[in-house]
């Protein structure tokens, strides 16, 4: 029964994501058309002459009515055409695809670290209210959200690169002395390990560690705060009192009953945390010269490369919608109430 | 969970000021935050007169000096006094974030209370718009908006306001929605008040306390966001002193050991946001004791 109900709920979540997806594409389209003055001139770049601007206008369909332009935009999107980046001369799609693994390696790594630290810490704090670990968590929760990521990144860089010399120079994903491993997943550390090249894997990991720590520090606070709050609420509820009265062990009460229920609100907040992480990612990539899509967008912004910027905004939004969908599905899978209702 | 027993000991007819003071005194950090907030506001108002040097005055002879008695925070690559620049920047950073928060407060309150009261189609449209904004990673959306509308300080404010509207709209909608059939609303309706009047005079004031909490919690985030945008080169242009752009300029010197260029503006930013967040927590304790942490 439970499996069937879950399957139907997952299908419903996917259908619910469709209007959001449409909204995202529409907003990105309107942003590209809301450029002050002549969008064609912006897309052609500052060096373009009248003829190439006219050409761009025609190729973008800017001389046609807005709904028709939107239809053309959708058709281009469907074929993966996001326009051409003026700064590199390459299709924006290809540029983004080339840089996406670098960003994902950083973001996902940071989230994994942060979850691995924040969730146990939140649980510890909630099960020991008023004790030092609890106070520490509360300070961390307020202090952590006050940290400007670009500033923590620089501080870590100064301490671990300049003062201590433990970390390598912030020159991207891999020192020049090493060749990038054959791409399988696009993640250098995993690819190098797959190729059996531990030396390159260590080198790639040492480049990754500071930017990853910066992002992880940023996400630590909200996840800890949420875990602590959710655990406190779960521990105060009636079913825990019943479980205690029935004489279940503390380990079973906290580990199974309270934790499983507390994870639901935590998983829900992960969506918001992702949103902030994808934004913070841009700043961290700039600080560490990380060749991901964030630093690509920042470079594009500086030279007014609009096709690249809009492609970036759209792809980040699509990534975020997919992540949220994944979270919703995960929620459905771990929610213990679903199988009971079914 | 700070001593709930002591809280009930307070007579329920105590005045609002006394009660607020009582709640705050349970958490002395609030007073530190209040003091810090006062200092920051003073710096924002009187900064340009308090600064010991002209924040734009360059002097190549004293470029890149570490902090000394004459230059408390050292000097930058053009010999400008970092302390004066950090101090003067306070006003700009606060102005951007306060204006952005005020704008999203007003727009969010309007959209939210109307959606909550009228329900139906207005509610569906408003919810769709809010959901669509929230479907973007917010900082990325702000980047896109500034890129589309043009690279200026004004547009930084608009972009920061737009990405914050959903939070206010949601709070206002929830508050209006639970009261749309309340006795006082029905009484107002029966005595011939228009819908807009009910929204403005009866529902909005009720939504005010939770929205004020939201605003104070939001202010720190708005500063971070605006500073982040100028860090990547949007909005404020050099040589204007602003914390985000100063950190960005100082970033190039971190790897060669000139830490004071980035540390002091970054530290000022961090302390300001921290103070605002503590204030937000304190305000929330007063308005909604259930959410105390």
């Amino acid at each position: 029964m439970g499996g069937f109900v879950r399957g139907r709920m997952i299908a419903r979540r996917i259908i619910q994501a469709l209007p959001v997806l449409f909204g995202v594409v529409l907003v990105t389209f309107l942003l590209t058309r809301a450029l002050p003055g002549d969008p064609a001139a912006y897309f052609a770049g500052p060096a373009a002459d009248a003829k190439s601007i006219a050409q761009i206008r025609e190729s973008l369909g800017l001389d046609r009515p807005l709904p028709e332009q939107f239809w053309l935009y959708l058709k281009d999107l469907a074929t993966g055409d996001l326009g051409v980046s003026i700064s590199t001369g390459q299709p924006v799609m290809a540029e983004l695809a080339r840089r996406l693994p670098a960003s994902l390696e950083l973001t996902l790594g940071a989230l994994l670290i942060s979850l691995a630290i924040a969730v146990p810490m939140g649980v510890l704090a909630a099960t020991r209210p008023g004790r030092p670990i609890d106070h520490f968590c509360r300070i961390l929760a307020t202090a952590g959200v006050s940290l400007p990521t670009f500033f923590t990144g620089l501080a870590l860089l100064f301490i671990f690169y300049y003062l201590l010399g433990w970390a390598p120079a912030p020159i991207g994903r891999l020192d020049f002395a090493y060749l990038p491993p054959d791409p399988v997943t696009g993640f250098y550390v995993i690819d190098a390990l797959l190729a059996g090249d531990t030396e390159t894997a260590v080198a790639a990991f040492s480049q990754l560690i500071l930017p990853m720590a910066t992002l992880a520090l940023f996400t630590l606070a909200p996840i800890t705060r949420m875990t602590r709050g959710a655990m406190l609420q779960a521990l105060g509820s009636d079913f825990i009192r019943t479980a205690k009265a029935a004489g279940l062990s503390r380990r079973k009460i906290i580990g199974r009953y309270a934790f499983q229920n507390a994870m639901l609100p935590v998983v829900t907040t992960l969506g918001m945390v992702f949103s902030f992480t994808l934004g913070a990612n841009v700043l961290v990539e700039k600080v560490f010269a990380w060749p991901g899509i964030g630093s690509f967008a920042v470079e594009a912004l500086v030279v007014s490369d609009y096709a690249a910027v809009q492609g970036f905004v759209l792809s980040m939004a699509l990534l975020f919608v997919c992540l949220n969908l994944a979270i919703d599905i995960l929620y459905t899978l771990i929610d213990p109430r679903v199988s009971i209702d079914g | 969970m700070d001593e709930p027993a002591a809280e009930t000991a307070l007579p329920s007819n105590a005045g609002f000021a006394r009660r607020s003071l009582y709640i705050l005194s349970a958490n002395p950090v609030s007073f530190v935050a209040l003091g810090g907030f006062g200092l920051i506001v003073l710096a924002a108002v009187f900064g340009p007169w308090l600064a010991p040097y002209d924040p734009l005055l360059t002097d190549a002879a004293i470029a890149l000096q570490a902090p000394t008695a004459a230059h408390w925070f050292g000097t930058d690559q053009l010999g400008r006094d970092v302390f004066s620049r950090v101090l003067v920047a306070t006003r700009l950073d606060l102005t951007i974030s306060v204006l952005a928060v005020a704008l999203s407060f007003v727009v969010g309150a309007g959209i939210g209370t109307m959606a909550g009261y009228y329900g139906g189609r207005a509610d569906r449209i408003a919810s769709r718009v809010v959901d669509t904004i929230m479907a973007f990673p917010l900082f990325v959306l702000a980047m896109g908006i500034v890129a589309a509308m043009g690279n200026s300080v004004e547009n930084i404010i608009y972009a920061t306001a737009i990405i914050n509207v959903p939070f206010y709209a949601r709070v206002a909608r929830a508050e209006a929605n639970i009261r749309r059939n309340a006795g006082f609303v029905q009484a107002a309706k029966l005595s011939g008040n228009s819908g807009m009047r009910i929204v403005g005079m009866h529902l909005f004031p009720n939504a005010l306390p939770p929205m004020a909490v939201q605003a104070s919690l939001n202010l720190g985030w708005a500063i971070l966001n605006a500073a982040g945008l100028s860090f990547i080169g949007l909005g404020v242009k050099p040589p204007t002193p602003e914390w985000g752009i100063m950190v960005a300029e100082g970033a190039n010197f971190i790897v060669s050991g000139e830490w004071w260029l980035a540390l002091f503006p970054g530290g000022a930013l961090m302390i300001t946001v921290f103070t605002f967040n503590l204030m937000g927590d304190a305000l929330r304790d007063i308005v909604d004791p259930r959410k105390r942490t």
Side-chain angles (χ1 to χ4, degrees):
Chain A
M1 263 320 249
F4 177 67
V5 172
R6 284 208 165 94
R8 225 174 43 190
M9 283 180 76
I10 289 171
R12 209 174 64 205
R13 299 249 188 242
I14 294 174
I15 292 167
Q16 275 168 353
L18 291 178
V20 177
L21 211 60
F22 179 79
V24 162
V25 174
L26 182 64
V27 168
T28 322
F29 166 76
L30 290 176
L31 277 180
T32 57
R33 296 305 184 265
L35 293 172
D38 184 358
Y42 283 93
F43 277 95
D49 53 12
K51 195 175 155 222
S52 61
I53 291 177
Q55 208 174 1
I56 296 258
R57 182 173 295 125
E58 195 161 330
S59 73
L60 287 174
L62 288 171
D63 42 357
R64 296 179 215 183
L66 213 56
E68 200 185 330
Q69 286 186 41
F70 184 56
W71 177 242
L72 287 175
Y73 181 76
L74 283 181
K75 274 209 292 206
D76 281 348
L77 271 188
T79 55
D81 181 6
L82 289 173
V84 173
S85 161
I86 305 156
S87 42
T88 63
Q90 299 287 315
V92 172
M93 193 63 162
E95 289 280 350
L96 290 175
R98 195 160 58 78
R99 289 153 189 266
L100 189 63
S103 296
L104 282 183
E105 187 176 37
L106 182 59
T107 313
L108 296 179
L111 276 173
L112 278 183
I113 293 181
S114 153
L115 276 176
I117 298 173
V119 171
M121 205 151 71
V123 172
L124 277 179
T127 48
R128 288 160 186 75
R131 302 276 287 277
I133 174 91
D134 188 26
H135 290 297
F136 176 74
C137 274
R138 279 157 60 179
I139 295 169
L140 180 100
T142 311
V145 289
S146 311
L147 288 175
T149 13
F150 51 91
F151 179 62
T152 19
L154 286 172
L156 289 180
L157 200 57
F158 180 69
I159 296 170
F160 292 103
Y161 168 67
Y162 181 77
L163 288 183
L164 298 173
W166 293 354
I171 48 166
R173 301 180 76 186
L174 204 54
D175 196 277
F176 300 123
Y178 300 91
L179 284 175
D182 293 329
V184 182
T185 56
F187 298 173
Y188 277 10
V189 178
I190 297 176
D191 284 352
L193 284 177
L194 284 178
D197 185 354
T198 38
E199 205 186 331
T200 309
V202 170
F205 187 70
S206 67
Q207 293 285 347
L208 189 59
I209 203 150
L210 277 193
M212 210 157 68
T214 310
L215 262 187
L217 274 177
F218 175 73
T219 50
L220 207 56
I223 301 178
T224 309
R225 187 182 197 142
M226 199 59 216
T227 310
R228 178 179 170 274
M231 267 311 266
L232 275 178
Q233 203 174 18
L235 285 170
S237 55
D238 287 347
F239 67 87
I240 293 294
R241 195 197 52 198
T242 311
K244 270 185 198 156
L248 287 172
S249 69
R250 182 179 155 84
R251 194 196 166 91
K252 195 159 188 182
I253 291 172
I254 292 172
R256 171 137 173 73
Y257 290 83
F259 183 71
Q260 212 180 10
N261 281 282
M263 275 305 100
L264 293 175
V266 174
V267 167
T268 317
T269 2
L270 270 187
M272 217 48 232
V273 173
F274 269 131
S275 167
F276 293 137
T277 314
L278 290 176
N281 193 44
V282 177
L283 300 170
V284 173
E285 282 185 11
K286 175 158 158 72
V287 169
F288 290 94
W290 196 257
I293 55 175
S295 48
F296 173 64
V298 171
E299 284 160 28
L301 270 176
V302 174
V303 296
S304 303
D305 184 351
Y306 287 97
V309 176
Q310 304 304 352
F312 162 75
V313 173
L314 182 67
S315 55
M316 283 298 233
L318 292 182
L319 185 66
F320 184 49
V321 170
C322 293
L323 282 171
N324 267 331
L325 186 63
I327 288 173
D328 276 349
I329 291 174
L330 184 68
Y331 186 98
T332 315
L333 289 179
I334 66 169
D335 188 350
R337 286 166 304 192
V338 173
S339 53
I340 296 169
D341 291 344
Chain B
M1 308 280 132
D2 321 43
E3 298 113 62
E7 200 179 317
T8 48
L10 187 79
S12 57
N13 58 357
F16 177 75
R18 230 191 99 203
R19 192 178 160 73
S20 304
L21 204 66
Y22 177 81
I23 294 171
L24 287 181
S25 64
N27 193 358
V29 181
S30 304
F31 290 106
V32 180
L34 210 61
F37 180 71
L39 283 180
I40 293 165
V41 171
L42 280 182
V45 176
F46 299 109
W49 291 289
L50 293 173
Y53 299 91
D54 180 351
L56 299 177
L57 184 72
T58 60
D59 183 356
I62 53 163
L64 287 178
Q65 278 184 352
T68 56
H71 297 278
W72 293 355
F73 290 179
T75 56
D76 68 4
Q77 71 279 15
L78 297 173
R80 294 173 298 196
D81 181 49
V82 176
F83 177 69
S84 303
R85 288 176 66 75
V86 168
L87 193 62
V88 171
T90 315
R91 184 186 287 180
L92 181 58
D93 275 271
L94 284 201
T95 310
I96 293 176
S97 49
V98 168
L99 282 180
V101 167
L103 210 61
S104 38
F105 187 99
V106 172
V107 175
I111 295 176
T113 36
M114 279 199 274
Y117 176 67
Y118 289 111
R121 178 183 269 192
D123 188 23
R124 277 201 301 277
I125 294 175
S127 301
R128 235 335 93 75
V129 170
V130 164
D131 286 348
T132 307
I133 296 178
M134 293 295 282
F136 283 89
L138 295 176
F139 185 77
V140 172
L141 179 61
M143 283 171 68
I145 293 171
V146 178
M149 300 204 311
N151 193 349
S152 71
V153 177
E154 246 169 82
N155 290 337
I156 293 272
I157 297 174
Y158 291 135
T160 311
I162 291 172
I163 62 172
N164 278 318
V165 161
F167 300 103
Y168 296 94
R170 281 184 177 175
V171 173
R173 182 191 173 277
E175 295 292 325
N177 201 33
I178 51 173
R179 294 193 181 86
R180 60 184 298 202
N181 291 322
F184 69 92
V185 172
Q186 285 181 335
K189 232 190 265 183
L190 280 174
S191 40
N193 287 289
S194 69
M196 285 311 281
R197 197 179 150 81
I198 292 174
V199 165
M201 303 298 286
H202 297 276
L203 290 173
F204 174 67
N206 272 300
L208 216 48
M211 288 195 58
V213 172
Q214 180 70 44
S216 67
L217 287 171
N218 203 213
L219 204 54
W221 191 64
I223 301 179
L224 273 187
N225 212 53
L229 287 174
S230 55
F231 178 78
I232 57 173
L234 290 176
V236 189
K237 302 256 185 337
T240 314
E242 191 275 339
W243 294 333
I245 209 164
M246 287 176 72
V247 176
E249 286 177 343
N252 305 321
F253 295 92
I254 279 278
V255 284
S256 51
E258 281 96 8
W259 49 270
W260 55 92
L261 265 63
L263 177 86
F264 291 111
L269 177 62
M270 200 170 75
I271 291 169
T272 306
V273 176
F274 189 53
T275 310
F276 282 17
N277 285 343
L278 285 177
M279 291 272 297
D281 284 343
L283 193 62
R284 184 187 51 193
D285 287 352
I286 295 173
V287 173
D288 187 358
R290 281 166 307 171
K291 286 208 182 121
R292 282 215 219 161
T293 47

